[in-house]
Amino acid sequence: MKHRFPFALPPSGSSARLPALLLPVLAAAALLQLLLPYGEELPAAGVPARQKHIAAPPEVPRVMVPAALQGRGLFSPAAAPAAGVAAPSDVLGGAVIAGTVMHGRRLYAVVQERGGRIRHVAPGGMVAGWRIAGLTPSGARLQRGQEQFNAAYGAIPTGPAAPAPEDPEDGQ
């Protein structure tokens, strides 16, 4: 038997019957929404109706930049030390002790060299002519002959300070 309409409703037990019956209702609602005039008007530009007066924002204070900072680039290194004061030297030749890593039961210093190469050095190992005498939670103790100093993790060590007393627990 041929249907009179170009489409047929789904069978009565189908779950597609409800959307097919709601389609004309939704189409009528959309048409009604387009045909009815829009009743609300947008407010005029300017001061909102609820706030009669808006206070002006405070003026930004002017800051005078010192001449020493004004001529320097934003990301350039800090100014050179004053005349007569020796600049601290990088005793590890650009290497940085970045931290520590534990492998098994052994604790190693993570050393990043100037070229970006990363090494793991055990206590007693050498970094740029300095022996790692011990690893502490805050840094590594480096020793060369009678000279020794503590290098903080992540910082560029600038040189030995006064000799520190030997601590037998740090050599573990």
Side-chain angles (χ1 to χ4, degrees):
M1 176 161 113
K2 257 188 160 183
H3 296 288
R4 291 185 184 179
F5 298 108
F7 64 91
L9 285 176
S12 61
S14 173
S15 62
R17 191 170 182 88
L18 180 62
L21 292 175
L22 288 178
L23 182 65
V25 175
L26 292 174
L31 184 63
L32 186 64
Q33 185 177 7
L34 290 174
L35 294 178
L36 290 178
Y38 188 65
E40 291 187 34
E41 300 261 337
L42 292 176
V47 178
R50 293 183 184 153
Q51 295 178 333
K52 296 295 181 190
H53 184 286
I54 297 176
E59 287 191 32
V60 177
R62 295 181 82 59
V63 177
M64 299 304 292
V65 179
L69 293 178
Q70 194 170 13
R72 185 167 70 96
L74 181 62
F75 296 106
S76 65
V85 178
S89 63
D90 181 10
V91 296
L92 295 182
V96 175
I97 301 176
T100 59
V101 65
M102 184 169 268
H103 185 268
R105 291 183 161 184
R106 300 270 329 238
L107 189 63
Y108 293 92
V110 177
V111 178
Q112 181 178 8
E113 295 176 346
R114 180 181 297 251
R117 182 175 162 237
I118 296 177
R119 298 185 318 154
H120 297 169
V121 183
M126 301 295 283
V127 176
W130 291 84
R131 184 176 68 83
I132 296 180
L135 299 171
T136 65
S138 61
R141 193 170 67 235
L142 301 173
Q143 184 175 15
R144 179 171 63 187
Q146 295 300 319
E147 293 179 299
Q148 70 177 10
F149 71 99
N150 292 329
Y153 295 135
I156 297 174
T158 56
E166 185 68 29
D167 189 4
E169 291 186 32
D170 286 340
Q172 296 179 1

